[in-house]
Short mmCIF file of all heavy atoms in Angstrom, two decimals:
data_model
loop_
_atom_site.label_atom_id
_atom_site.label_comp_id
_atom_site.label_asym_id
_atom_site.label_seq_id
_atom_site.Cartn_x
_atom_site.Cartn_y
_atom_site.Cartn_z
N ARG A 9 122.21 78.35 101.08
CA ARG A 9 122.17 79.13 99.85
C ARG A 9 121.49 78.29 98.74
O ARG A 9 120.85 78.89 97.86
CB ARG A 9 123.58 79.51 99.42
CG ARG A 9 124.23 80.55 100.32
CD ARG A 9 123.54 81.91 100.27
NE ARG A 9 123.34 82.40 98.91
CZ ARG A 9 124.26 83.04 98.23
NH1 ARG A 9 125.43 83.30 98.74
NH2 ARG A 9 124.01 83.46 96.99
N TYR A 35 110.17 86.86 100.47
CA TYR A 35 109.66 86.98 99.11
C TYR A 35 110.07 85.73 98.32
O TYR A 35 111.08 85.13 98.57
CB TYR A 35 110.28 88.19 98.39
CG TYR A 35 109.88 89.53 98.98
CD1 TYR A 35 110.61 90.07 100.02
CD2 TYR A 35 108.79 90.24 98.46
CE1 TYR A 35 110.25 91.31 100.58
CE2 TYR A 35 108.44 91.48 98.99
CZ TYR A 35 109.17 91.99 100.07
OH TYR A 35 108.81 93.19 100.60
N GLN A 37 110.90 84.63 94.44
CA GLN A 37 111.21 85.16 93.10
C GLN A 37 111.22 84.04 92.09
O GLN A 37 111.98 83.06 92.25
CB GLN A 37 112.56 85.89 93.07
CG GLN A 37 112.83 86.52 91.70
CD GLN A 37 114.22 87.09 91.57
OE1 GLN A 37 115.02 87.08 92.49
NE2 GLN A 37 114.53 87.55 90.37
N GLY A 40 109.37 85.51 85.42
CA GLY A 40 108.08 85.93 84.92
C GLY A 40 107.10 86.40 85.98
O GLY A 40 106.07 86.98 85.67
N GLN A 41 107.41 86.17 87.25
CA GLN A 41 106.54 86.62 88.33
C GLN A 41 107.18 87.64 89.22
O GLN A 41 106.52 88.27 90.06
CB GLN A 41 106.14 85.42 89.23
CG GLN A 41 105.21 84.44 88.55
CD GLN A 41 103.83 85.00 88.31
OE1 GLN A 41 103.23 85.68 89.17
NE2 GLN A 41 103.31 84.78 87.13
N GLY A 42 108.46 87.89 89.05
CA GLY A 42 109.11 88.86 89.89
C GLY A 42 109.14 88.42 91.34
O GLY A 42 109.14 87.22 91.63
N LEU A 43 109.19 89.37 92.23
CA LEU A 43 109.20 89.09 93.65
C LEU A 43 107.78 89.10 94.17
O LEU A 43 107.06 90.09 94.05
CB LEU A 43 110.03 90.12 94.41
CG LEU A 43 111.53 89.93 94.47
CD1 LEU A 43 112.17 90.24 93.13
CD2 LEU A 43 112.15 90.81 95.54
N GLN A 44 107.37 88.02 94.77
CA GLN A 44 106.05 87.91 95.34
C GLN A 44 106.19 87.88 96.85
O GLN A 44 106.90 87.06 97.39
CB GLN A 44 105.36 86.63 94.86
CG GLN A 44 105.27 86.50 93.35
CD GLN A 44 104.10 87.28 92.78
OE1 GLN A 44 103.00 87.17 93.27
NE2 GLN A 44 104.35 88.04 91.73
N PHE A 45 105.44 88.76 97.51
CA PHE A 45 105.49 88.90 98.97
C PHE A 45 104.87 87.69 99.64
O PHE A 45 103.76 87.29 99.31
CB PHE A 45 104.79 90.18 99.38
CG PHE A 45 104.62 90.35 100.85
CD1 PHE A 45 105.67 90.76 101.65
CD2 PHE A 45 103.39 90.13 101.45
CE1 PHE A 45 105.50 90.93 103.00
CE2 PHE A 45 103.21 90.30 102.80
CZ PHE A 45 104.26 90.71 103.60
N ASN A 56 101.80 90.78 108.30
CA ASN A 56 101.23 90.89 106.97
C ASN A 56 101.49 89.59 106.23
O ASN A 56 102.49 88.90 106.47
CB ASN A 56 101.93 92.02 106.22
CG ASN A 56 100.94 92.86 105.41
OD1 ASN A 56 99.90 92.36 104.99
ND2 ASN A 56 101.29 94.12 105.20
N LYS A 57 100.57 89.21 105.36
CA LYS A 57 100.72 87.95 104.66
C LYS A 57 100.30 88.13 103.20
O LYS A 57 99.28 88.78 102.94
CB LYS A 57 99.84 86.87 105.33
CG LYS A 57 100.09 85.47 104.82
CD LYS A 57 99.26 84.46 105.61
CE LYS A 57 99.67 83.03 105.33
NZ LYS A 57 99.66 82.66 103.91
N THR A 98 108.13 97.48 107.68
CA THR A 98 108.44 97.90 106.30
C THR A 98 107.46 98.99 105.91
O THR A 98 106.38 99.08 106.39
CB THR A 98 108.27 96.71 105.33
OG1 THR A 98 106.98 96.15 105.46
CG2 THR A 98 109.30 95.63 105.57
N GLY A 99 107.91 99.77 105.01
CA GLY A 99 107.12 100.89 104.58
C GLY A 99 108.12 101.83 103.93
O GLY A 99 108.76 101.48 102.97
N ARG A 100 108.25 102.99 104.47
CA ARG A 100 109.24 103.89 103.92
C ARG A 100 110.63 103.60 104.45
O ARG A 100 111.58 104.23 104.05
CB ARG A 100 108.83 105.33 104.19
CG ARG A 100 107.57 105.69 103.45
CD ARG A 100 106.88 106.90 103.97
NE ARG A 100 105.58 107.00 103.34
CZ ARG A 100 105.31 107.79 102.31
NH1 ARG A 100 106.25 108.53 101.79
NH2 ARG A 100 104.09 107.85 101.79
N GLU A 102 113.92 101.53 104.44
CA GLU A 102 114.59 100.77 103.42
C GLU A 102 114.69 99.29 103.84
O GLU A 102 115.02 98.99 104.97
CB GLU A 102 115.98 101.33 103.17
CG GLU A 102 116.76 100.60 102.09
CD GLU A 102 118.18 101.19 101.92
OE1 GLU A 102 118.36 102.36 102.35
OE2 GLU A 102 119.03 100.53 101.37
N GLN A 103 114.44 98.39 102.91
CA GLN A 103 114.62 97.00 103.14
C GLN A 103 115.99 96.57 102.61
O GLN A 103 116.40 96.99 101.53
CB GLN A 103 113.55 96.16 102.39
CG GLN A 103 112.17 96.32 102.93
CD GLN A 103 111.22 95.36 102.23
OE1 GLN A 103 111.09 94.22 102.62
NE2 GLN A 103 110.59 95.81 101.18
N PHE A 105 118.12 93.31 101.52
CA PHE A 105 117.89 91.92 101.12
C PHE A 105 119.13 91.03 101.36
O PHE A 105 120.25 91.47 101.20
CB PHE A 105 117.52 91.85 99.63
CG PHE A 105 116.11 92.25 99.33
CD1 PHE A 105 115.78 93.57 99.16
CD2 PHE A 105 115.10 91.29 99.24
CE1 PHE A 105 114.46 93.96 98.89
CE2 PHE A 105 113.80 91.65 98.98
CZ PHE A 105 113.47 92.97 98.79
N GLY A 106 118.83 89.80 101.67
CA GLY A 106 119.88 88.77 101.69
C GLY A 106 120.09 88.22 100.28
O GLY A 106 119.37 88.61 99.35
N PRO A 107 121.07 87.35 100.09
CA PRO A 107 121.39 86.80 98.79
C PRO A 107 120.41 85.75 98.30
O PRO A 107 120.38 85.40 97.12
CB PRO A 107 122.78 86.17 98.97
CG PRO A 107 122.79 85.83 100.41
CD PRO A 107 122.00 86.84 101.13
N GLN B 2 98.88 90.89 88.90
CA GLN B 2 100.12 91.65 88.94
C GLN B 2 99.77 93.13 89.02
O GLN B 2 99.38 93.74 88.04
CB GLN B 2 100.96 91.34 87.67
CG GLN B 2 102.39 91.70 87.75
CD GLN B 2 103.22 90.78 88.63
OE1 GLN B 2 102.87 89.64 88.86
NE2 GLN B 2 104.32 91.29 89.15
N ASP B 31 101.35 104.71 97.52
CA ASP B 31 101.82 106.08 97.81
C ASP B 31 103.33 106.19 97.92
O ASP B 31 103.84 107.24 98.28
CB ASP B 31 101.13 106.60 99.09
CG ASP B 31 101.42 105.72 100.29
OD1 ASP B 31 102.19 104.76 100.17
OD2 ASP B 31 100.83 106.02 101.36
N TYR B 32 104.01 105.13 97.61
CA TYR B 32 105.47 105.14 97.71
C TYR B 32 106.02 104.14 96.70
O TYR B 32 105.50 103.03 96.61
CB TYR B 32 105.89 104.78 99.13
CG TYR B 32 107.32 105.06 99.49
CD1 TYR B 32 107.86 106.33 99.41
CD2 TYR B 32 108.15 104.02 99.92
CE1 TYR B 32 109.16 106.59 99.74
CE2 TYR B 32 109.46 104.27 100.25
CZ TYR B 32 109.97 105.55 100.17
OH TYR B 32 111.27 105.80 100.51
N TYR B 36 114.83 98.92 92.75
CA TYR B 36 115.88 98.08 93.29
C TYR B 36 116.71 97.57 92.09
O TYR B 36 116.19 97.35 91.01
CB TYR B 36 115.33 96.89 94.06
CG TYR B 36 114.84 97.21 95.44
CD1 TYR B 36 113.57 97.74 95.66
CD2 TYR B 36 115.66 96.98 96.55
CE1 TYR B 36 113.15 98.02 96.96
CE2 TYR B 36 115.23 97.25 97.84
CZ TYR B 36 113.98 97.76 98.03
OH TYR B 36 113.54 98.03 99.30
N LYS B 38 119.48 94.47 91.01
CA LYS B 38 119.91 93.14 91.43
C LYS B 38 120.96 92.58 90.49
O LYS B 38 120.72 92.44 89.30
CB LYS B 38 118.70 92.19 91.50
CG LYS B 38 119.04 90.82 92.07
CD LYS B 38 117.82 89.92 92.11
CE LYS B 38 118.11 88.60 92.83
NZ LYS B 38 119.15 87.80 92.19
N ALA B 41 123.28 86.33 91.83
CA ALA B 41 123.77 85.72 93.07
C ALA B 41 123.80 86.70 94.25
O ALA B 41 124.39 86.42 95.29
CB ALA B 41 125.15 85.09 92.91
N GLY B 43 121.23 89.67 96.55
CA GLY B 43 119.88 90.17 96.76
C GLY B 43 119.70 91.52 96.17
O GLY B 43 120.69 92.22 95.87
N PRO B 44 118.47 91.97 95.93
CA PRO B 44 118.24 93.30 95.40
C PRO B 44 118.79 94.36 96.37
O PRO B 44 118.74 94.17 97.59
CB PRO B 44 116.73 93.40 95.30
CG PRO B 44 116.25 91.98 95.28
CD PRO B 44 117.22 91.22 96.12
N PHE B 46 118.56 98.59 97.25
CA PHE B 46 117.77 99.79 97.04
C PHE B 46 118.54 100.82 96.19
O PHE B 46 119.75 101.03 96.39
CB PHE B 46 117.41 100.41 98.40
CG PHE B 46 116.81 101.78 98.31
CD1 PHE B 46 115.51 101.93 97.92
CD2 PHE B 46 117.57 102.91 98.62
CE1 PHE B 46 114.95 103.20 97.89
CE2 PHE B 46 117.04 104.17 98.54
CZ PHE B 46 115.72 104.31 98.17
N SER B 51 108.02 109.50 96.64
CA SER B 51 106.72 109.56 97.28
C SER B 51 105.67 110.00 96.27
O SER B 51 106.00 110.72 95.31
CB SER B 51 106.76 110.52 98.44
OG SER B 51 105.48 110.84 98.90
N PHE B 89 114.20 96.16 89.43
CA PHE B 89 112.83 95.92 89.86
C PHE B 89 112.22 97.23 90.35
O PHE B 89 112.84 97.96 91.11
CB PHE B 89 112.78 94.91 91.02
CG PHE B 89 113.19 93.51 90.66
CD1 PHE B 89 114.46 93.05 90.84
CD2 PHE B 89 112.22 92.63 90.13
CE1 PHE B 89 114.84 91.78 90.49
CE2 PHE B 89 112.57 91.33 89.79
CZ PHE B 89 113.88 90.91 89.98
N PHE B 93 104.26 100.59 97.19
CA PHE B 93 103.89 100.33 98.57
C PHE B 93 102.65 101.14 98.90
O PHE B 93 102.49 102.31 98.49
CB PHE B 93 105.00 100.68 99.52
CG PHE B 93 104.73 100.42 100.95
CD1 PHE B 93 104.83 99.14 101.45
CD2 PHE B 93 104.37 101.44 101.81
CE1 PHE B 93 104.57 98.88 102.78
CE2 PHE B 93 104.09 101.17 103.14
CZ PHE B 93 104.21 99.90 103.63
N GLY B 96 100.75 100.70 105.35
CA GLY B 96 99.98 99.74 106.14
C GLY B 96 99.79 98.43 105.43
O GLY B 96 99.22 97.49 105.98
N ASN B 97 100.30 98.34 104.25
CA ASN B 97 100.11 97.12 103.46
C ASN B 97 101.45 96.50 103.16
O ASN B 97 102.34 96.47 104.00
CB ASN B 97 99.38 97.48 102.16
CG ASN B 97 98.55 96.32 101.63
OD1 ASN B 97 99.07 95.20 101.52
ND2 ASN B 97 97.31 96.57 101.38
N GLN B 98 101.65 96.00 101.99
CA GLN B 98 102.87 95.27 101.62
C GLN B 98 103.47 95.83 100.36
O GLN B 98 102.84 96.66 99.66
CB GLN B 98 102.52 93.81 101.38
CG GLN B 98 101.67 93.60 100.15
CD GLN B 98 101.17 92.17 99.98
OE1 GLN B 98 100.56 91.61 100.84
NE2 GLN B 98 101.51 91.59 98.85
N PHE B 99 104.71 95.45 100.11
CA PHE B 99 105.36 95.83 98.86
C PHE B 99 104.88 94.94 97.72
O PHE B 99 104.72 93.74 97.89
CB PHE B 99 106.87 95.69 98.98
CG PHE B 99 107.52 96.87 99.67
CD1 PHE B 99 107.86 96.79 101.00
CD2 PHE B 99 107.81 98.00 98.96
CE1 PHE B 99 108.46 97.87 101.65
CE2 PHE B 99 108.42 99.10 99.59
CZ PHE B 99 108.76 99.01 100.94
N PHE B 101 106.13 94.05 93.88
CA PHE B 101 107.27 94.21 92.95
C PHE B 101 106.86 93.86 91.52
O PHE B 101 106.00 93.02 91.29
CB PHE B 101 108.39 93.26 93.36
CG PHE B 101 109.23 93.76 94.52
CD1 PHE B 101 108.75 93.59 95.84
CD2 PHE B 101 110.45 94.36 94.31
CE1 PHE B 101 109.51 94.04 96.91
CE2 PHE B 101 111.21 94.83 95.40
CZ PHE B 101 110.74 94.65 96.69
N GLY B 102 107.52 94.49 90.58
CA GLY B 102 107.40 94.14 89.20
C GLY B 102 108.22 92.92 88.88
O GLY B 102 108.91 92.37 89.73
N THR B 103 108.16 92.47 87.64
CA THR B 103 108.84 91.26 87.22
C THR B 103 110.30 91.48 86.83
O THR B 103 111.04 90.56 86.61
CB THR B 103 108.12 90.60 86.03
OG1 THR B 103 107.93 91.60 85.01
CG2 THR B 103 106.77 90.05 86.45
#
Side-chain angles (χ1 to χ4, degrees):
Chain A
R9 291 293 309 276
Y35 295 87
Q37 184 189 355
Q41 291 291 317
L43 277 72
Q44 303 279 312
F45 173 76
N56 221 332
K57 190 176 191 306
T98 55
R100 292 163 191 262
E102 181 181 341
Q103 291 186 87
F105 283 85
Chain B
Q2 198 73 25
D31 59 5
Y32 193 59
Y36 281 84
K38 185 180 186 300
F46 169 77
S51 166
F89 292 95
F93 182 78
N97 208 309
Q98 68 186 56
F99 278 99
F101 281 81
T103 51

